[in-house]
Amino acid sequence: MSTMAVRNTATLAWRTLVQIKHNPVELIDFSIQPVMFLLLFTYVFGGQMAGSPQEYLTFALAGIIVQNLLFATMNTGVGLNTDISKGVFDRLRSLPIARFAPLAGRIVADVIKQGWAVALLLGVGMLLGFRITTGPVEVLGAFALLLGFALAASWISVLVAMLVDEPDKVQIFGFVLIFPITFASSAFVRPETMPGWLRGFVRINPASVLSDAVRGLLTGGPVARPVLESVLWALALLAVFAPLSVRAFRRRT
């Protein structure tokens, strides 16, 4: 990637980020909504799930972070589809910039927003009583793993955005895909309580392995297998969806 392409990507990423200043509502998906889910899961389900909200918070915070991260990846597709529908990409294409910079700029900006959401959820979780029992290296590893996975998973929504004609359809696809993936996983409950036929899916579910990895990195426990499987899932998503998305992007624009 040339220096100019990097500069183009950074400029367009900044364009996406600075829109928050003029439209703070964009931060709802990355701030208010995640905290709302955290409070609801902790204080509504906590007593039933683990005997007390405190115990459940220790188990479920990683899963809540992962769920929020996966849902937020759909914002990348919604934003891209909106820009294409409004003709923003036609205007950008007329400028002497790298062809893929609008795509990369949007993805980079949304990953930065994801970093904010992860830090916010972790901070609010600690205010509610969650305690990190590992060291700074493990915490940084959890952040890196989450943001790397978000970067890879964002390509799914990019491909959907290139194939549908309305932003709402990207959101609908996201709900249809992400709801079963996050709830049929170890994000919120232990798989031992599930039927045998479902445990096989839960075992290989990317939401499960990522939740287990982040849980282990923040509160201790085995992390080698879930971290390795999370990395493999991220690489697989990137290898499959990034080329398909770029191809669809070129055909549409």
Side-chain angles (χ1 to χ4, degrees):
M1 183 183 294
S2 67
T3 305
M4 179 169 288
V6 172
R7 194 180 306 159
N8 293 157
T9 299
T11 301
L12 291 170
W14 176 247
R15 165 191 171 267
T16 301
L17 291 172
V18 82
Q19 287 176 350
I20 296 172
K21 178 181 177 183
H22 305 289
N23 185 21
V25 176
E26 284 193 16
L27 269 186
I28 289 178
D29 286 341
F30 293 91
S31 302
I32 298 175
Q33 184 173 298
V35 172
M36 181 185 70
F37 273 107
L38 174 60
L39 295 173
L40 286 174
F41 272 92
T42 300
Y43 292 110
V44 175
F45 299 120
Q48 176 69 33
M49 294 291 192
S52 72
Q54 194 68 38
E55 289 293 325
Y56 188 59
L57 177 64
T58 301
F59 175 82
L61 180 60
I64 295 170
I65 291 174
V66 170
Q67 184 203 41
N68 177 69
L69 177 137
L70 292 175
F71 272 114
T73 58
M74 288 296 129
N75 289 327
T76 303
V78 172
L80 286 171
N81 192 282
T82 302
D83 282 348
I84 292 173
S85 302
K86 290 183 176 178
V88 174
F89 273 62
D90 292 334
R91 176 72 181 101
L92 293 174
R93 195 171 52 177
S94 68
L95 300 175
I97 61 174
R99 184 75 183 272
F100 64 89
L103 258 185
R106 167 67 66 170
I107 293 173
V108 169
D110 284 344
V111 169
I112 292 172
K113 293 177 186 176
Q114 293 269 23
W116 156 256
V118 172
L120 179 66
L121 277 174
L122 196 55
V124 174
M126 294 184 73
L127 287 176
L128 298 179
F130 179 83
R131 292 294 176 261
I132 296 172
T133 57
T134 55
V137 174
E138 287 83 357
V139 174
L140 289 176
F143 267 80
L145 187 64
L146 285 164
L147 297 185
F149 199 94
L151 179 66
S154 294
W155 287 102
I156 301 175
S157 71
V158 173
L159 177 60
V160 176
M162 296 302 125
L163 298 178
V164 302
D165 54 0
E166 296 176 4
D168 289 347
K169 293 180 180 176
V170 182
Q171 288 183 317
I172 292 171
F173 175 84
F175 275 104
V176 171
L177 175 68
I178 296 174
F179 254 114
I181 286 179
T182 54
F183 280 93
S185 73
S186 62
F188 305 116
V189 296
R190 299 185 190 281
E192 293 80 6
T193 62
M194 299 179 186
W197 59 266
L198 185 56
R199 284 182 220 158
F201 172 76
V202 171
R203 168 68 182 79
I204 61 172
N205 185 341
S208 290
V209 297
L210 185 59
S211 297
D212 292 344
V214 174
R215 190 175 291 128
L217 288 168
L218 295 179
T219 59
V223 295
R225 181 189 62 77
V227 168
L228 176 61
E229 291 181 350
S230 298
V231 172
L232 292 177
W233 262 111
L235 292 175
L237 292 175
L238 200 61
V240 172
F241 288 99
L244 291 175
S245 300
V246 171
R247 183 179 178 185
F249 171 71
R250 287 174 176 164
R251 293 178 66 178
R252 181 161 181 176
T253 61

